Amino acid sequence: MGQLRNDSVTEYMRARLLVNRHGRLTTDQWKDMVTEPLATLGVLLIPGVFVLGPRLGAFIWGGFALVTLAAVLALVISLALRARRYARAAVHFAILHGGAATPPFWAVWRPIVLYTEDGEAVRFGKRLTPYTRLQQNVPYLVYFLQDGTTNVLLSLAPAHHPDADLWQPSAAFHSQFG
């Protein structure tokens, strides 16, 4: 089957949907979740090393090296814990609808809000999907993670898409909750 001319689901999203349907994260999604705090940690650790290193050097020979080693060790431990956490994270599935008012394309900082059949709002504070223009009152197949109190959007596609049957949850997906 050839690809539709104005297909709203990119090849990149198709690949994500085909992996998420089995209850797993793609390698890119897993890496993004694990390395998310690196920028914040780098902003905090690098100045900390430069401020504390010389001060400890007055009391301990090699204080700069000690602080640098401690910072790198803290970074490795936090990444290892996050890697383990997200390797075991449960992927969730829902059929959600675009709301009556979808955010404009330039408002990337706003959370994506989709709605259940009952009208309950589901907010996605983070997203690991490429930008997808949501249509009003259209049902979407949505795969997401629950990270504490925040939902992380992994992949989505219109439920009426011709290939939507390929992206439905598999038996492996259902067995993870069994």
Side-chain angles (χ1 to χ4, degrees), residues 50-69:
F50 285 111
V51 169
L52 293 177
R55 295 187 194 293
L56 287 177
F59 300 108
I60 303 171
W61 184 80
F64 188 76
L66 181 66
V67 172
T68 303
L69 181 64

Side-chain angles (χ1 to χ4, degrees), residues 27-38:
T27 304
D28 289 342
Q29 290 171 333
W30 181 79
K31 285 179 187 175
D32 287 344
M33 290 302 291
V34 169
T35 60
E36 180 185 21
L38 277 181

Side-chain angles (χ1 to χ4, degrees), residues 22-26 29-31 33-34 79-92 144-148 154 172-173 175-177:
H22 296 296
R24 297 188 319 253
L25 297 174
T26 66
Q29 290 171 333
W30 181 79
K31 285 179 187 175
M33 290 302 291
V34 169
L79 288 178
L81 292 175
R82 286 183 68 85
R84 183 171 181 243
R85 174 178 164 193
Y86 289 114
R88 298 175 181 206
V91 174
H92 298 275
F144 62 98
L145 283 178
Q146 290 180 334
D147 186 22
L154 298 174
F173 181 90
S175 68
Q176 79 177 351
F177 292 110

Side-chain angles (χ1 to χ4, degrees), residues 71-118:
V72 169
L73 187 62
L75 184 67
V76 168
I77 289 172
S78 69
L79 288 178
L81 292 175
R82 286 183 68 85
R84 183 171 181 243
R85 174 178 164 193
Y86 289 114
R88 298 175 181 206
V91 174
H92 298 275
F93 171 79
I95 296 180
L96 302 174
H97 299 268
T102 58
F105 74 93
W106 49 267
V108 294
W109 62 87
R110 290 186 186 168
I112 295 174
V113 181
L114 296 171
Y115 298 90
T116 63
E117 284 285 331
D118 302 333

